[in-house]
Amino acid sequence: MEKPSLQNKKLTATYLSDTSSTTLDSFQSQPADQPLHTRNSSKKSFLGGGKVWLPLCLGILFVLLWQIEVFHKIFDLKKYQLPLPSAIASSIQENWSLLLSYTGYTLAEAVLGMIIGSLFGFVIALIATASPRWGAGSLTLVAALNAVPIVALAPIMNLWFGDGIGSRIAIVTATTMAAMALNAYKGMSSVNPLALDLMYSYAANKAKVFRYLRIQNSLPYVFTALKINATASMIGAIVGEFFFSSQGLGYLLSNSIKIAKMPLGWSCIVLAAIAGIIFYMIVERLEKVCIRWHPSQRT
């Protein structure tokens, strides 16, 4: 065995002395009268509070600037083009029952369409993973369908399913299928090769590999697709109501703009945004409950 040279010994001794002094200095720099876990918890509490209060303060500042007509002066807008927040709030209060029933109608279209579209997308991902020879083409078709604009898809769906709720559900189904299919396929196909070899070493058949490995590995990707679809489904439902509908936020928004009732139109936008946020938060909460065992949910 080759003996270390004198120069290497000097370098090693210098490194150890520097490391020990740095470690000792960093340890001594901590206040002795404050426990370590208390300092960490206070730091986390400050950061956690910042996550809530900072966006809230910025939102309040934005509404105040809007109310005192700062944006009107910057962009040279009139009040009928951009109603003040106080006028929008008054419109919401005056039409609360109508807006609430129409929000529920649009949300029902979005939820039903998203569930059906996500189920179709998941089945397509299963087929594409189990049989890549036949399934790869279906992924391409779904991606192509997702590239079709909603404004082009809506009249076709109205011709196929009539002017009832079925046409808007079909629009949302078509717009949410691709995100689920592509994300779920990514989760099922990107399993750990060592885990796959372990399953085969225990003589696991294809069905058990799917049940215990591929589907479980795809769950974080599935919830990512659901969170994307939670907001995309609201957009699909509202755009579908623009064409053929007798109720819903999209129908009310379209009519309000036609008769120049801009505060009522902005009320529809505000309620659609609130409904989309609530829908997203429900899906996010379900993710924390259903896959709490996953490393991404342990922070």
Side-chain angles (χ1 to χ4, degrees):
M1 185 176 180
E2 187 179 354
K3 292 183 178 180
S5 62
L6 181 61
Q7 184 178 4
N8 288 340
K9 286 182 178 179
K10 289 180 178 178
L11 288 173
T12 306
T14 305
Y15 171 75
L16 290 176
S17 62
D18 291 345
T19 306
S20 59
S21 61
T22 305
T23 307
L24 184 60
D25 291 343
S26 62
F27 177 76
Q28 289 175 346
S29 63
Q30 302 291 342
D33 55 347
Q34 189 177 11
L36 183 61
H37 66 87
T38 306
R39 294 196 298 272
N40 291 335
S41 61
S42 61
K43 186 177 179 181
K44 288 181 180 177
S45 174
F46 173 76
L47 293 176
K51 289 179 181 177
V52 176
W53 288 107
L54 185 60
L56 186 62
C57 291
L58 288 175
I60 293 173
L61 177 64
F62 179 81
V63 174
L64 285 175
L65 293 175
W66 185 357
Q67 180 63 34
I68 60 176
E69 303 180 21
V70 172
F71 301 128
H72 295 75
K73 295 173 183 173
I74 293 175
F75 299 105
D76 192 21
L77 296 172
K78 307 299 179 187
K79 287 183 182 178
Y80 71 88
Q81 294 173 311
L82 181 62
L84 296 177
S86 56
I88 298 171
S90 300
S91 177
I92 293 175
Q93 187 178 5
E94 292 169 3
N95 303 280
W96 176 247
S97 58
L98 178 67
L99 288 168
L100 194 62
S101 65
Y102 280 11
T103 302
Y105 183 81
T106 303
L107 196 58
E109 293 173 344
V111 172
L112 290 174
M114 192 194 79
I115 291 173
I116 297 172
S118 299
L119 283 176
F120 275 125
F122 190 78
V123 171
I124 290 171
L126 276 175
I127 296 172
T129 309
S131 177
R133 183 178 178 183
W134 301 101
S138 60
L139 287 175
T140 306
L141 287 175
V142 169
L145 180 63
N146 193 46
V148 178
I150 302 176
V151 291
L153 201 62
I156 298 171
M157 293 300 174
N158 283 320
L159 284 176
W160 288 4
F161 299 98
D163 57 354
I165 192 173
S167 63
R168 268 87 66 191
I169 292 175
I171 293 169
V172 177
T173 299
T175 54
T176 57
M177 200 185 306
M180 176 58 72
L182 297 176
N183 278 280
Y185 176 74
K186 176 69 176 177
M188 290 181 197
S189 58
S190 61
V191 295
N192 189 344
L194 295 177
L196 199 60
D197 290 341
L198 182 63
M199 293 289 290
Y200 286 136
S201 69
Y202 282 104
N205 55 25
K206 205 168 185 177
K208 288 185 178 178
V209 170
F210 263 87
R211 180 180 176 185
Y212 295 110
L213 183 60
R214 292 191 185 278
I215 291 179
Q216 291 198 20
N217 191 66
S218 71
L219 289 180
Y221 297 86
V222 167
F223 276 99
T224 300
L226 288 175
K227 286 189 282 188
I228 295 171
N229 288 340
T231 51
S233 60
M234 287 295 295
I235 297 172
I238 290 173
V239 173
E241 289 167 354
F242 263 81
F243 292 90
F244 296 101
S245 181
S246 58
Q247 53 185 327
L249 288 177
Y251 162 76
L252 187 59
L253 175 60
S254 176
N255 282 355
S256 302
I257 294 174
K258 287 176 183 174
I259 58 177
K261 285 189 174 181
M262 296 306 292
L264 183 57
W266 276 86
S267 303
C268 298
I269 294 172
V270 170
L271 286 183
I274 293 172
I277 291 170
I278 293 173
F279 194 12
Y280 178 87
M281 291 175 69
I282 290 173
V283 175
E284 192 177 36
R285 182 61 185 165
L286 283 175
E287 180 186 18
K288 292 185 182 300
V289 171
C290 295
I291 57 170
R292 63 177 62 180
W293 47 269
H294 195 268
S296 63
Q297 305 299 319
R298 293 175 189 164
T299 57

